[in-house]
Amino acid sequence: MSAPVHATGIAVQGIKPVLYLTGLVLLATAAMMVFPMIVDIYYRHADWQAFAASAMLSVVIGGLLVRYSKKSLKSGLTLRQSFLLTPLSWVSVAAVSALPFFFSEYGTVSNSLVDAFFESVSGITTTGATVISGLEHAPPGILLWRALLQWMGGIGIIATAIAILPALGIGGMQLFRTESSDRSEKAMPRVRQIAGTIALVYVSLTILAFVVYWLAGMPPFDALAHAMSSIATGGYSTSDASFAAWDENGIQWFATLFMLSGTIPFVVYVRLIAGEGAALWDRQVRTLLAFLAMVVAVVGLWLALSGQYALEPAFRHAAFNVVSVVTTTGFASADYSLWGNWAVGLFFGLMFVGGCTGSTSGGIKIFRFEVMALMLRAHFMRLLYPNGVFPSYYGERLIDDEVIRSVVAFFAVFFLCYSLFTIALMGFGLDFLTSASGAATALANVGPGLGGIIGPTGNFGSLPDGAKWLMSIGMLLGRLELFTVLILFAPRFWRG
């Protein structure tokens, strides 16, 4: 999944391995553009030319980077090179992935640099916020490209969260440092085996979702697009109404299960395949499922008892939308902002939760809330018993001070960034609810915000261009766990 990490500085020559790997990623992105190009050719849509031109440009840029820096990756990456590679590769992919939107003949994003980049970033970060309206009439290639972007971003963040972030000590991720993030030569065969199994699981879940959606009544093309978005917990749909357009034959119940499957740590699937049945009761998974069950029960009962829905639709909409927001998928089966002010407040809070680490979901992540709860418990016990010793365990692992400091720092920086983004969005003339939920949905990679503009049935297309650029930065910042990006602005980072 990644090369060995060593702690040395960045020099001009030291950037070449980063450029080499980035070039390879761009070449892979160009290869993925062939699929929507073929689809447009099949449907005789002129947009195939946009994908052809974009693929050629991506090949040229990626090829030049690879040629310029080939044979530079000899002994793995240094610590600083690893920090640089992560945001550079993601930003580069987002930039070239915006080209088909920009060159497209579809009016919503055509010739608009900010809209094309926003849609691309939202896709690759699996956020699902969109500036495109009239999706039912959009070119098939564009619809497939949006789904592919989320699907690529989903597997990309799994690899990043398992192989890179634990080694970099980002936000407490070192708690999950296992042999999958050990890049010694002895461990590499095992790392490759884990990576291959995760890829197999990811593809298999996508195929299963496609078949289930298709059999449940979705047209094949829609089923494929929603399957990729569901497993990637992305939220891009082929309809402006999202999943409200499909409520027959249990499709929304199936979608709820597939969103959940994407937010479970993919290492758990690897362990299950290896015969470890107890892996399904991973602490993160148990906490997430218990939390979701409690919230869904409360919301479902309220919707049924208040007379807004009958019993089955009440719990279906409650389960679908709560799971969608907590897993940061962003699909919607109904406009939950119309359920009452309490629902607006509840879903606003749910935006920050997120799923499990090592999954495709965004957000703060459930394990960080668990670590904070354990830390607070230990702190209260020390207040009561000053001379006592109260070690905290996460599962069977002792939580050391380094992990606690990382988690506390992550919370502090996350909410500092959130406050600054909210204020900045209000500076563009947006109201408080739009600004506050817009900042949350960007940093937590949720998708829809709240309010009449960017709510579950809204769209981000009417936002000022400056707000779109800002939210694009926020989506990348949140997807890459903040510190991976922010550290690049430290002058000390660039010193030898």
Side-chain angles (χ1 to χ4, degrees):
M1 286 186 185
S2 178
V5 174
H6 309 290
T8 59
I10 286 279
V12 175
Q13 188 67 23
I15 294 178
K16 281 191 173 184
V18 176
L19 297 179
Y20 176 77
L21 293 174
T22 301
L24 291 180
V25 172
L26 293 184
L27 291 176
T29 304
M32 296 300 289
M33 293 179 187
V34 173
F35 296 103
M37 182 182 73
I38 293 174
V39 167
D40 273 338
I41 291 175
Y42 176 80
Y43 284 99
R44 298 182 179 180
H45 198 286
D47 252 14
W48 71 267
Q49 299 173 68
F51 287 100
S54 302
M56 286 189 289
L57 280 173
S58 302
V59 167
V60 170
I61 297 170
L64 288 174
L65 290 176
V66 169
R67 181 175 178 80
Y68 167 73
S69 53
K70 67 178 181 179
K71 298 182 180 180
S72 60
L73 190 63
K74 298 178 180 179
S75 58
L77 299 179
T78 68
L79 182 64
R80 286 178 173 82
Q81 286 171 335
S82 297
F83 268 116
L84 180 59
L85 172 65
T86 306
L88 180 60
S89 59
W90 282 74
V91 171
S92 300
V93 169
V96 299
S97 297
L99 294 175
F101 296 115
F102 184 77
F103 293 143
S104 170
E105 292 185 355
Y106 193 61
T108 307
V109 289
S110 176
N111 298 318
S112 173
L113 184 60
V114 60
D115 284 348
F117 188 70
F118 182 97
E119 197 74 13
S120 174
V121 170
S122 182
I124 201 68
T125 60
T126 71
T127 302
T130 184
V131 296
I132 299 179
S133 58
L135 290 169
E136 293 84 352
H137 309 292
I142 287 292
L143 294 176
L144 180 60
W145 183 234
R146 295 165 81 243
L148 278 171
L149 280 178
Q150 296 201 321
W151 196 74
M152 291 189 296
I155 190 68
I157 200 59
I158 293 171
T160 302
I162 292 176
I164 297 178
L165 297 182
L168 301 181
I170 299 295
M173 287 288 198
Q174 61 267 46
L175 184 64
F176 300 96
R177 187 171 185 173
T178 63
E179 61 182 341
S180 63
S181 56
D182 179 2
R183 283 168 291 277
S184 64
E185 291 184 6
K186 181 179 180 180
M188 282 307 291
R190 176 61 175 163
V191 172
R192 295 190 187 97
Q193 182 182 355
I194 292 174
T197 305
I198 287 175
L200 178 62
V201 170
Y202 194 71
V203 172
S204 299
L205 285 174
T206 305
I207 294 173
L208 177 61
F210 163 69
V211 173
V212 170
Y213 288 155
W214 187 11
L215 293 178
M218 270 192 183
F221 183 86
D222 297 306
L224 177 61
H226 285 95
M228 288 191 283
S229 293
S230 298
I231 302 304
T233 60
Y236 273 159
S237 177
T238 57
S239 169
D240 286 345
S242 189
F243 263 85
W246 293 280
D247 60 356
E248 69 275 9
N249 301 325
I251 285 182
Q252 293 177 358
W253 283 115
F254 289 128
T256 302
L257 293 176
F258 286 125
M259 288 188 286
L260 278 174
S261 70
T263 200
I264 291 175
F266 274 69
V267 171
V268 168
Y269 293 117
V270 175
R271 292 171 60 192
L272 286 173
I273 292 173
E276 299 180 39
L280 190 58
W281 299 110
D282 175 88
R283 176 160 183 162
Q284 283 191 94
V285 177
R286 284 187 284 116
T287 302
L288 178 64
L289 293 180
F291 174 75
L292 288 173
M294 179 184 67
V295 177
V296 168
V298 170
V299 175
L301 284 172
W302 168 265
L303 293 177
L305 294 176
S306 64
Q308 298 188 54
Y309 296 99
L311 190 61
E312 189 277 333
F315 278 90
R316 170 161 48 85
H317 288 304
F320 185 96
N321 292 288
V322 167
V323 169
S324 179
V325 173
V326 171
T327 62
T328 71
T329 306
F331 286 138
S333 65
D335 188 353
Y336 43 79
S337 63
L338 300 178
W339 294 351
N341 289 334
W342 70 273
V344 174
L346 174 65
F347 279 94
F348 179 75
L350 293 178
M351 285 183 178
F352 296 95
V353 178
C356 301
T357 188
S359 71
T360 60
S361 64
I364 291 177
K365 301 293 192 305
I366 202 73
F367 90 91
R368 291 193 177 102
F369 287 100
E370 293 182 285
V371 171
M372 285 293 287
L374 292 170
M375 185 196 73
L376 290 173
R377 176 185 176 277
H379 181 68
F380 287 139
M381 293 299 290
R382 291 190 191 97
L383 292 177
L384 293 173
Y385 307 101
N387 297 322
V389 178
F390 306 100
S392 298
Y393 288 88
Y394 189 86
E396 299 178 353
R397 299 188 182 190
L398 178 66
I399 303 177
D400 57 32
D401 291 340
E402 179 188 359
V403 170
I404 292 175
R405 285 195 300 268
S406 295
V407 170
V408 171
F410 182 89
F411 269 97
V413 172
F414 184 95
F415 284 104
L416 174 62
C417 289
Y418 168 70
S419 301
L420 294 175
F421 271 81
T422 300
I423 294 170
L425 288 173
M426 292 183 71
F428 289 104
L430 302 176
D431 63 89
F432 176 74
L433 182 58
T434 300
S435 300
S437 62
T441 197
L443 287 172
N445 305 117
V446 177
L450 294 169
I453 302 175
I454 60 172
T457 58
N459 187 280
F460 291 75
S462 63
L463 297 185
D465 286 354
K468 293 174 188 174
W469 284 119
L470 185 65
M471 291 191 67
S472 298
I473 295 171
M475 287 186 280
L476 286 166
L477 194 61
R479 179 81 282 186
L480 298 180
E481 303 283 347
L482 302 177
F483 291 99
T484 314
V485 179
L486 295 177
I487 197 171
L488 301 183
F489 294 94
R492 187 180 295 272
F493 173 84
W494 301 98
R495 297 171 187 167

